[in-house]
Amino acid sequence: MSKQVTVAVKRQDTQTSGSRWETFSIPYEPGLNVTTILQRIAANPVTVEGESSTPVAFDACCLEEVCGACTMRVNGRVRQACTALVDNLLAEQPDRITLEPMTKFPVVRDLHVDRSAMFESLKRVHAWITADGYFDRGAAPRMSQDAQEDAYPLTTCMTCGCCVESCPQFNDGSSFIGPAAISQAVLFNEHPVGKFDANARMEVLAGDGGIADCGNAQNCLKVCPKNIPLTQSLAKAGRAATKYVISRFLQK
Amino acid sequence: MANEKDRVVVIGGGLAGLAAAMRLAEAEIEVDLISMVPVKRSHSVCAQGGINSVNPATRELGDSEWLHLDDTVYGGDFLQHQPPVKEMCDWGPRIIDLMDRLGVSFNRTPEGFRDQRRFGGTMYKRTAFAGATTGQQLIYALDEQCRRWESEGLIRKFEYWEFLGPILDDNGICRGAVAQDMFSMEVRSFPAKALILAHGGCGLIFGRSTMSMICTGGAAGRAYKAGVKYANGEFFQVHPTAIPGTDKLRLMSESARGEGGRVWVPRKPQDERDPRSIPESERYYFLEERYPKYGNLVPRDIATREIFDICVNDKLSIDPERLCVYLDLTHLPSETHRKLEGILEIYEKFQATDPRVTPMKIFPGVHYSMGGLWCDFEKDEKTGGLALGSPRNHQSNVEGLFVIGEADYQYHGGNRLGANSLLSCIFTGMIVAPSVQNYMSSTNGGATDPPSTLFEREAARHQADCDALIARDGNENPYTLHQELGDSMTRNVTVVRDNAAIKETLVKIDEIEKRYANAALTDKGSWTNQNLSFTRALGDMILLARVIAEGALKRDECRGAHYKPAFQIKPPDAEDPAEMRRQAAEWCEAFAKQIKRWLKTTIAENTPDGPSFSYEAVDTSLIPPRPRTYGLKGAEIIDEVWKQRMAGEQAGAPTEPVASV
Ligand SMILES: Cc1cc2nc3c(=O)[nH]c(=O)nc-3n(C[C@H](O)[C@H](O)[C@H](O)COP(=O)(O)OP(=O)(O)OC[C@H]3O[C@@H](n4cnc5c(N)ncnc54)[C@H](O)[C@@H]3O)c2cc1C
Ligand code: SF4
Ligand code: SF4
Ligand code: FES
C-alpha cells in the first residue's frame, strides 16, 4: 500500500459541546499541506476505525499565507495550515500530525474559531486614518524610504491570531487588546496623518487592557508568521504611554 | 435611523465591495455588507504586483491617460466598451492619491515620492506597489475605512454570511438579497433599495487556479439563475507560470524569466532522472528553440500556449499526473538569486525544495475572469468617458441590481493587462456609489415598498432549497465531481481551444450535471455546515461552466485569451515584396471581416434549456480597432496596409467597409 499520513483532529460539534479526537489516514503526496489534508478528509470523512464522520470545519481562503484565515495549532504549535507542509511536520513528529483549534478564541466548530475579538480591538485603537472624504485632494505627504521600510512590516499583519494565541496575558479573564492591535496603533501613530488621532489611541493604550498588561514575555514575536517586529512596537507603545500619562497628569 | 428598506446591500468585501460601502457611508447611506469571509481576508489580498495609473514620472516621458486607455483596449483586443475604460484611466492618478492618503505604504523614491515599476503590455512604468503585497495593503486601507464607518453605525457587517440570491418583486425589480449565516445556518432576507454584487472571480470552475478557495462563482451563478445576463464568459486569463500545488496554483512572477530563468523539459517523456543529472543535449529548451528571437521572454500568452502545448499535445510533461515543465534558475549567479529572494521564498515555502539548486516545476494557471455579470454604462458625449452618477452605470439588466469588481465584465475585454484589475475594482466601487444614490432617489427606484410577504416568501424558498439539498440521497461525491469538472474545463477550455474538444467537455458537463442530482452531503447537520455551502456552489459552477464552454464553442475566432487555432487568420509568409503586400491586404480583409462578425460582447441568458446566446455591439467610439500583429511575419506591412484601409474608409464610405481592396 502507498504511504499514508495519520492525522489526529480535535473535534467539537458546537460552541458548547465537549471535544473529542478523531483520527484519519490520508494517502501521502509530495507537497501536501494541512489545508489539503482537510479537503481530502472532507471528500471522504471516514476515520481509521472505519467510522463515517463529517467533514472537519475549518477556516481558510487564500491558501498562500496572506489572508490569515487558516490559523490553528498544528503539532501543538500555532501557525497557518496552508503553509504547514506534511514533509516538514513529519520531520518534527514522525508518527502523526495533530490538528487543534486555537485556545484563546471561542470554538465555532472543530478547527474553526471566532476571532471577532481581534477585529473589535482594531476598532478600539482607531486603526484607521480619519480622512476628510474620498474626493480628490492630491497625494499624502511625502515619506522617506526609511519611514516606508519601517512601516511596511507592520502593515502586513493579517490578524491571524498567532501572537494572541501565544500571549500569556491574553486570556478569558483579561481585557488585554493583544500585541497585534497594539502594533497597529503604533503604525498609525507614526503615520504622518494618522498621528493626528494619536491621543485617541493613547487613551486605549494607556488604559485598561492596554500596554501595561503586556508582561514582555516576547512569545508573540517568535510565532508571528510575518516576522513583524512586535516587541519593538510594544516597547514604543510602552514609552509613548508613559509619556502620555505624564503629560495628561501635568495638564490637569 | 432611516427606514430599514432604504439601505443598500453589498455582497462581497474585496476591494470593489469595500470601496462602494465606504463611499455610500460617506454619503450617509446605510449599508449591509455581506461576505463569506471576514472582509479583511477577501481574495484581493493575494495581489502582489501593483496598481496602474499615469503618474508624473511617466508623464515626463510623454505618457497620458489616453495612452493608458490605448494600452488597455489594445491589450484587451478591443473587446471592451471604451467610455468606461477611459473614465477609469482618467481616475487612475486620483485613486492612487486617495489610497496613499488612506495610509497605503507604497514604496518610495529617494525624494519620498511613490515609486513605480513596469508591467507587461505597456512601455511606461505605471505600476505603483507596496512591497510584494500591494493587494493586501490596498484592501487593508479600505477595510480600515469601513471599520471606521462600522463604528459610526453606517455600515453593518455580516461576515460569514453567504449570499443565496437576489430578491426580485413581481415587476422584476431587485428589492434586496437572501443570505445564510454560515455558522447557525439561519436563512434570512435583507431588504434593500439597491443591491450591489462584488463577489469577485470564479476560477474554481477550473478546479485549481491562482484564486482563493471562495472564488467559486457561486454568487454569480445565483444572480445568473435569477435573470442577470452573463457576458464574455469564455474570456479567462491564464498566467504562464504558476506553481502547481495539489490544492492551488500559486503565482510565480514573470521576473524569474526576466532575470534569466530558462524553461525546459527532458526530451525523453517523463524522464525520471534528477533534472540536474540530465545532460544539456537531452533537454528541450522549447521556447528558445521555437522562438529564437525572444527565447524565454516571449509574451505571456505565447508562453502560456507553448507550455500548455508541450505538455498536452507533445505529452512531454515532466510529471505524467500533474502537468508541469521546469523553470530553471540553478545556473544563475547568487547575486541574481538574491534579487529574486522574495519569489524564491514563496516557492521554497510551498514546495519545500530550494529553487537555487533544483529547477522549479511550473505550469500555466487559470488566473482572472475577464467575463462576468453584464452591466450597463452611460457615455458622456462631451468627455468620451462616463456620465458620472447615471443610474445606468454598473446597473445590470435587473433593475436595482448593480455589479462591480472582478464580478462584472467591463474594462478588460479579451485580455487583462497586469495591474489594471486592482484599479478597476477600486474605481468601480467608487463610481457605483453615486449611481446607486441617484437610482434610489429616482421615482422608479422602488418608490412603493414591496409587501413584507415578498421577503418571507423568498427566505422560505431558499430555506426549502437548503433542506432539499441536505435531505438528498445518492452516491455521488461533490468533491470528486468538482475535480472532474475542473479537469475537463482545464484540459479543453483554457489555453488552446478546439471545437471537438470543447464539445467533449460539454458532454462531460451534461454527465456531471446528471450525477450532481445524486450528490449527497456527508454532513446533514445544521451547524456550520461547510459541506452544504460547497455542494451548493458546485451546482452554480456547473451552470457557469456551461456558459463558458458554450461561449467558447460558438466564438470561431482568436481574440485575446480566446485562442482557437483553426480559426486563426493565416499569417503572410511570402518572401517576394509584391506578393507579401498582396497577402497583407488579404490578411487585412479577413481581419475586417472578423471585426464585423466577432467584435461583439457574448451575452448568455439562463433558460430552462440552458444558456441562450446573443451578441452585442462594442462601443469602440474612441479608438478604432487595429490588428495585433506582434510576432507576425510582415507585421509592419500589415500595419501599413491597415492604416491605408482605415484612411480610405474614413474618406470614402463611412458606413460599410468595401469588400474589395
Ligand atoms: C494571485 C493573484 C495575483 C494578482 N495580482 C494582481 C496585481 O498585481 N494587480 C492587479 O491589478 N490585479 C491582480 N490580481 C487580480 C485582482 O487581485 C482581483 O481581480 C481583485 O482583487 C478582485 O477584487 P474584487 O473586489 O472584485 O473581489 P474579491 O477580492 O475576490 O472579493 C470578493 C468578495 O466577495 C465575497 N463573496 C464571494 N462570494 C460570496 C457569496 N456567495 N456570499 C457572500 N459573499 C461572497 C468574498 O467573501 C469577498 O469578500 C491578482 C489575482 C490573483 C489571483
Ligand atoms: S510580549 Fe507582551 S504581548 Fe507579546 S506575548 Fe508577551 S505579554 Fe503578550
Ligand atoms: S502580528 Fe503577526 S501573529 Fe499577530 S496577528 Fe499579525 S500577522 Fe498574526
Ligand atoms: S488560507 Fe490564507 S493564510 Fe492560510
Side-chain angles (χ1 to χ4, degrees):
Chain A
M1 206 171 104
S2 63
K3 187 170 156 190
Q4 296 285 120
V5 184
T6 306
V7 188
V9 186
K10 191 171 183 185
R11 305 206 56 175
Q12 179 175 331
D13 293 337
T14 67
Q15 287 158 310
T16 47
S17 58
S19 61
R20 65 178 189 283
W21 287 90
E22 265 178 13
T23 310
F24 299 90
S25 179
I26 302 294
Y28 171 85
E29 288 170 57
L32 202 63
N33 57 1
V34 168
T35 38
T36 308
I37 288 184
L38 291 167
Q39 287 171 325
R40 296 277 188 273
I41 294 176
N44 182 26
V46 177
T47 66
V48 281
E49 293 85 12
E51 307 269 334
S52 302
S53 184
T54 49
V56 177
F58 68 107
D59 201 0
C61 190
C62 71
L63 301 182
E64 52 188 66
E65 203 187 77
V66 69
C67 80
C70 65
T71 317
M72 59 184 69
R73 299 183 76 95
V74 181
N75 285 358
R77 216 182 85 203
V78 65
R79 54 186 139 187
Q80 274 67 53
C82 63
T83 35
L85 299 186
V86 165
D87 288 330
N88 299 341
L89 297 173
L90 292 179
E92 264 171 40
Q93 185 177 296
D95 65 324
R96 62 182 44 213
I97 291 169
T98 57
L99 306 179
E100 297 162 88
M102 283 191 278
T103 57
K104 297 289 172 72
F105 304 98
V107 171
V108 174
R109 180 178 175 182
D110 299 335
L111 303 173
H112 202 319
V113 298
D114 177 1
R115 276 168 285 187
S116 36
M118 288 190 78
F119 294 113
E120 284 305 316
S121 295
L122 290 178
K123 253 188 230 160
R124 277 176 67 190
V125 298
H126 290 69
W128 54 70
I129 304 274
T130 311
D132 289 349
Y134 307 124
F135 47 89
D136 177 27
R137 46 178 1 163
R142 274 150 60 184
M143 193 186 252
S144 71
Q145 286 182 329
D146 287 347
Q148 192 273 343
E149 276 162 33
D150 284 346
Y152 179 72
L154 308 198
T155 65
T156 61
C157 168
M158 51 186 187
T159 323
C160 70
C162 286
C163 55
V164 168
E165 173 73 9
S166 75
C167 173
Q169 299 301 109
F170 192 97
N171 51 48
D172 279 350
S174 93
S175 60
F176 185 36
I177 56 173
I182 292 175
S183 178
Q184 290 302 297
V186 169
L187 168 68
F188 283 96
N189 277 359
E190 292 192 345
H191 185 274
V193 178
K195 69 176 173 215
F196 299 164
D197 293 334
N199 282 352
R201 291 186 200 102
M202 291 318 304
E203 274 300 314
V204 183
L205 291 187
D208 275 352
I211 185 69
D213 283 10
C214 164
N216 202 20
Q218 309 212 352
N219 295 8
C220 51
L221 180 74
K222 284 174 227 143
V223 296
C224 174
K226 297 287 138 186
N227 298 319
I228 296 173
L230 288 169
T231 41
Q232 205 174 311
S233 293
L234 294 165
K236 278 181 185 168
R239 285 196 299 272
T242 312
K243 234 161 97 189
Y244 178 76
V245 172
I246 294 171
S247 73
R248 198 174 52 181
F249 174 76
L250 292 177
Q251 273 161 21
K252 271 191 183 151
Chain B
M1 205 214 233
N3 183 347
E4 267 293 286
K5 295 192 188 75
D6 287 340
R7 312 180 72 85
V8 172
V9 168
V10 177
I11 306 294
L15 284 170
L18 290 173
M22 143 188 129
R23 271 212 91 191
L24 287 165
E26 181 188 24
E28 296 184 0
I29 294 171
E30 291 179 56
V31 176
D32 284 348
L33 180 56
I34 295 175
S35 170
M36 287 180 77
V37 294
V39 292
K40 192 175 181 176
R41 310 201 195 282
S42 296
H43 168 63
S44 289
V45 295
C46 290
Q48 305 164 352
I51 175 166
N52 286 339
S53 84
V54 175
N55 55 70
T58 63
R59 258 188 238 288
E60 183 63 22
L61 301 170
D63 193 17
S64 65
E65 284 79 354
W66 187 265
L67 290 180
H68 188 186
L69 161 68
D70 189 86
D71 283 338
T72 305
V73 297
Y74 183 69
D77 237 348
F78 295 91
L79 193 62
Q80 62 272 69
H81 299 298
Q82 295 178 355
V85 182
K86 174 168 192 301
E87 196 65 38
M88 172 182 83
C89 297
D90 286 350
W91 277 60
R94 275 174 268 162
I95 284 179
I96 315 285
D97 277 350
L98 174 63
M99 298 313 295
D100 188 5
R101 278 172 52 217
L102 299 183
V104 173
S105 62
F106 286 112
N107 280 51
R108 299 285 156 172
T109 65
E111 206 180 323
F113 293 108
R114 291 185 302 257
D115 199 5
Q116 282 91 16
R117 56 163 68 124
R118 195 176 133 200
F119 251 58
T122 177
M123 299 309 291
Y124 296 104
K125 283 190 178 180
R126 293 202 189 106
T127 310
F129 59 102
T133 59
T134 312
Q136 188 190 34
Q137 300 314 314
L138 293 171
I139 192 176
Y140 286 3
L142 298 181
D143 172 63
E144 286 148 10
Q145 292 303 309
C146 286
R147 188 165 293 108
R148 174 184 158 206
W149 292 113
E150 189 189 9
S151 68
E152 292 186 17
L154 278 150
I155 294 179
R156 285 199 307 211
K157 275 192 202 149
F158 293 85
E159 294 176 322
Y160 296 115
W161 278 76
E162 181 173 355
F163 166 74
L164 300 185
I167 298 174
L168 307 192
D169 69 13
D170 294 340
N171 300 317
I173 299 175
C174 181
R175 302 294 195 159
V178 177
Q180 180 168 37
D181 183 329
M182 295 168 72
F183 294 161
S184 74
M185 307 313 277
E186 172 201 357
V187 173
R188 66 164 265 209
S189 285
F190 290 79
K193 267 271 172 72
L195 173 64
I196 302 176
L197 298 183
H199 51 254
C202 54
L204 262 72
I205 293 173
F206 293 84
R208 293 169 303 144
S209 73
T210 62
M211 291 190 209
S212 298
M213 267 173 72
I214 53 166
C215 301
T216 58
R222 290 158 208 169
Y224 170 69
K225 228 184 304 186
V228 181
K229 295 176 185 171
Y230 204 85
N232 286 346
E234 68 270 30
F235 288 91
F236 242 97
Q237 184 171 72
V238 181
H239 194 282
T241 57
I243 312 166
T246 36
D247 53 341
K248 183 182 186 183
L249 311 173
R250 298 178 178 90
L251 210 65
M252 173 47 57
S253 161
E254 220 165 79
S255 51
R257 281 176 295 135
E259 296 292 340
R262 301 178 77 187
V263 176
W264 63 277
V265 287
R267 289 193 187 270
K268 184 174 145 229
Q270 289 90 53
D271 196 325
E272 278 174 3
R273 284 176 289 174
D274 180 337
R276 284 167 294 185
S277 70
I278 298 178
E280 280 292 301
S281 62
E282 291 173 42
R283 298 177 177 195
Y284 184 12
Y285 292 98
F286 54 97
L287 290 177
E288 296 171 35
E289 279 188 36
R290 293 179 183 183
Y291 298 87
K293 195 162 152 203
Y294 299 100
N296 293 291
L297 276 175
V298 288
R300 260 191 199 186
D301 51 340
I302 296 185
T304 298
R305 274 170 218 152
E306 291 296 348
I307 296 171
F308 192 83
D309 184 61
I310 212 93
C311 294
V312 176
N313 299 322
D314 298 343
K315 308 219 174 334
L316 286 175
S317 168
I318 311 165
D319 186 328
E321 308 268 292
R322 207 181 297 165
L323 301 181
C324 55
V325 301
Y326 289 124
L327 171 54
D328 197 341
L329 304 178
T330 56
H331 59 287
L332 298 174
S334 57
E335 308 90 80
T336 314
H337 287 158
R338 252 199 310 281
K339 224 157 133 190
L340 294 172
E341 192 83 27
I343 60 172
L344 298 186
E345 274 170 9
I346 298 182
Y347 189 84
E348 225 169 345
K349 196 174 258 176
F350 285 98
Q351 299 302 96
T353 46
D354 184 353
R356 296 165 196 88
V357 290
T358 310
M360 296 191 275
K361 291 181 183 177
I362 55 102
F363 192 69
V366 166
H367 185 52
Y368 184 86
S369 28
M370 272 81 71
L373 295 174
W374 184 88
C375 58
D376 200 4
F377 69 92
E378 186 174 335
K379 181 180 174 183
D380 181 331
E381 291 299 337
K382 277 203 287 296
T383 65
L386 288 180
L388 290 172
S390 161
R392 279 176 60 197
N393 293 338
H394 286 275
Q395 188 163 183
S396 73
N397 57 304
V398 170
E399 193 180 324
L401 190 156
F402 296 73
V403 195
I404 55 172
E406 192 170 336
D408 78 40
Y409 87 107
Q410 302 269 23
Y411 304 96
H412 307 293
N415 192 23
R416 172 181 73 95
L417 288 196
N420 252 3
S421 166
L422 298 178
L423 178 63
S424 67
C425 288
I426 300 175
F427 169 72
T428 54
M430 297 287 289
I431 63 149
V432 82
S435 294
V436 166
Q437 197 175 0
N438 289 335
Y439 166 77
M440 289 166 74
S441 55
S442 68
T443 47
N444 56 351
T448 51
D449 284 342
S452 64
T453 49
L454 173 68
F455 301 110
E456 287 153 23
R457 187 185 77 203
E458 284 298 290
R461 185 169 66 85
H462 283 285
Q463 181 68 59
D465 286 350
C466 289
D467 295 345
L469 191 53
I470 289 182
R472 196 149 87 184
D473 270 330
N475 49 10
E476 291 290 350
N477 186 321
Y479 300 91
T480 315
L481 290 179
H482 177 236
Q483 198 178 351
E484 289 182 29
L485 176 71
D487 286 349
S488 183
M489 287 295 286
T490 300
R491 191 168 341 106
N492 296 333
V493 201
T494 47
V495 183
V496 180
R497 292 168 171 181
D498 165 77
N499 284 346
I502 298 173
K503 280 182 194 151
E504 241 173 62
T505 290
L506 281 164
V507 171
K508 181 78 190 173
I509 293 174
D510 287 339
E511 176 208 313
I512 290 176
E513 190 173 0
K514 284 203 195 83
R515 288 165 60 197
Y516 175 68
N518 294 318
L521 305 187
T522 42
D523 186 351
K524 301 201 178 268
S526 54
W527 180 258
T528 321
N529 189 336
Q530 296 178 331
N531 199 212
L532 170 69
S533 172
F534 178 81
T535 309
R536 178 169 49 209
L538 177 61
D540 298 296
M541 289 191 257
I542 297 169
L543 192 70
L544 291 182
R546 192 185 295 285
V547 171
I548 294 168
E550 268 195 54
L553 178 67
K554 291 197 152 60
R555 188 174 278 275
D556 282 334
E557 66 156 350
C558 293
R559 184 176 302 282
H562 173 73
Y563 176 66
K564 207 185 255 186
F567 295 87
Q568 194 171 29
I569 303 174
K570 190 176 166 289
D573 58 2
E575 298 301 332
D576 170 56
E579 173 60 10
M580 182 54 160
R581 221 176 161 76
R582 199 196 60 76
Q583 287 186 352
E586 222 173 72
W587 193 96
C588 289
E589 178 60 23
F591 182 70
K593 278 207 186 111
Q594 183 184 343
I595 289 183
K596 219 169 140 225
R597 173 66 187 92
W598 284 117
L599 187 54
K600 304 248 164 75
T601 304
T602 308
I603 309 268
E605 281 173 272
N606 187 38
T607 78
D609 309 318
S612 128
F613 284 88
S614 58
Y615 295 86
E616 198 176 73
V618 177
D619 183 334
T620 55
S621 54
L622 304 175
I623 297 177
R626 59 180 189 272
R628 289 180 83 206
T629 50
Y630 194 88
L632 276 192
K633 182 166 178 177
E636 315 80 53
I637 303 178
I638 292 179
D639 287 341
E640 199 187 310
V641 172
W642 182 256
K643 270 194 204 121
Q644 283 167 0
R645 195 187 157 103
M646 291 299 288
E649 251 173 51
Q650 258 162 16
T655 43
E656 289 284 285
V658 206
S660 65
V661 180

